[in-house]
Amino acid sequence: MRFSFENVSATDYDELRPTYAPEAVAWVAEHARLEPGSLAVDLAAGTGQLSRRFLRLGLRVVAVEPAANMRAVLATNLPDVTAVHGTAEAIPLGEGEADAVVVGNAFHHFDAEAAFAEIRRVLRPEGALALFWARTDRHADGLRLGIRAIDEVVERERGSSPIVEAYRAWYEPPEHVEGFATLERRSFATTRRMASARLAALFATSSDIASLPEPQRARLLDRIGELAAELPETLELAERSDVQLWFRDGPGG
């Protein structure tokens, strides 16, 4: 059964989830030859972390998001983005309408075969498909030890999670996808600041944690809060934006 992000606080999601390096978005826009007025479709858009990046480049953005709570926050914060209900397997656009389809930290939730076919349908010939992944990078020694302690607790509590296993599978995406040209990959370092007191709320927005049964979930979040209290008040989190880029076959493909 597919996880529903309607079980997650959309406000916390919007405020706390990692965003994406502007350089990563610019790299995709350059390679996809996107210009002001080009149409980018943000699949499983959440509250619009990727949508706002592409909007700033002057693109038209359609945000496709199945969760009503996420879509409502997106529509409020980004009125210039067209927010619509839909899924990666049923995108509410016509054939060849999109110049680019982008996905942020979500492709592991999709039925990959159906999603690739539907994305190919809505992309124009030679249009781009870009998967963005926000990953944790290395930290300074003291902070790394604190974060590692939290990671160990999380790993112990959630055990084997199909969501996590699916996410990790996309560290190595398929080199070749039917209907698309060869994969290109880049990684961009980035940092962000957040209050350590909000780490538990951040973890609560993650689907693998939100899907845990109560009271296990509550116990885990309480323990994260206890460990976070031992960290500096403000955290500088080292992250990176990994990008996986394909192009749809041309007219004769």
Side-chain angles (χ1 to χ4, degrees), residues 26-199:
W27 179 76
V28 168
E30 179 183 359
H31 278 64
R33 298 180 181 177
L34 300 178
E35 301 175 346
S38 295
L39 178 60
V41 177
D42 184 3
L43 283 186
T47 57
Q49 281 86 346
L50 264 182
S51 291
R52 60 173 50 93
R53 292 290 194 203
F54 282 94
L55 190 65
R56 289 169 185 166
L57 298 179
L59 275 63
R60 294 180 294 129
V61 179
V62 172
V64 179
E65 171 54 51
N69 59 331
M70 298 286 170
R71 206 166 57 247
V73 170
L74 190 157
T76 297
N77 292 346
L78 299 173
D80 291 332
V81 170
T82 302
V84 298
H85 179 273
T87 67
E89 299 84 5
I91 303 171
L93 273 82
E95 294 187 9
E97 283 192 41
D99 297 296
V101 171
V102 300
V103 185
N105 260 36
F107 203 89
H108 58 299
H109 290 294
F110 302 164
D111 176 327
E113 183 177 354
F116 275 124
E118 183 69 345
I119 290 166
R120 187 180 189 280
R121 181 186 69 81
V122 302
L123 276 174
R124 63 166 171 78
E126 301 180 354
L129 166 61
L131 308 189
F132 289 78
W133 304 94
R135 316 275 197 196
T136 300
D137 222 327
R138 298 184 63 182
H139 300 285
D141 288 344
L143 179 57
R144 184 168 66 245
L145 291 174
I147 297 294
R148 184 185 302 162
I150 292 174
D151 286 342
E152 289 173 353
V153 170
V154 170
E155 288 291 335
R156 185 165 61 247
E157 282 289 336
R158 73 184 173 196
S160 178
S161 165
I163 294 174
V164 174
E165 290 172 3
Y167 175 79
R168 289 174 176 166
W170 283 91
Y171 275 81
E172 292 299 330
E175 289 287 339
H176 299 284
V177 176
E178 184 177 356
F180 290 85
T182 305
L183 170 70
E184 296 182 43
R185 305 173 69 171
R186 284 287 301 272
S187 185
F188 300 84
T190 185
T191 61
R192 67 182 175 118
R193 294 167 60 90
M194 70 171 294
S196 57
R198 304 211 66 193
L199 271 178

Side-chain angles (χ1 to χ4, degrees), residues 5 9 11 35 54 84 112 135 187 214 219 223-224 238 241:
F5 277 90
S9 166
T11 301
E35 301 175 346
F54 282 94
V84 298
R135 316 275 197 196
S187 185
E214 296 288 356
R219 182 175 65 244
R223 183 56 180 149
I224 291 172
S241 298

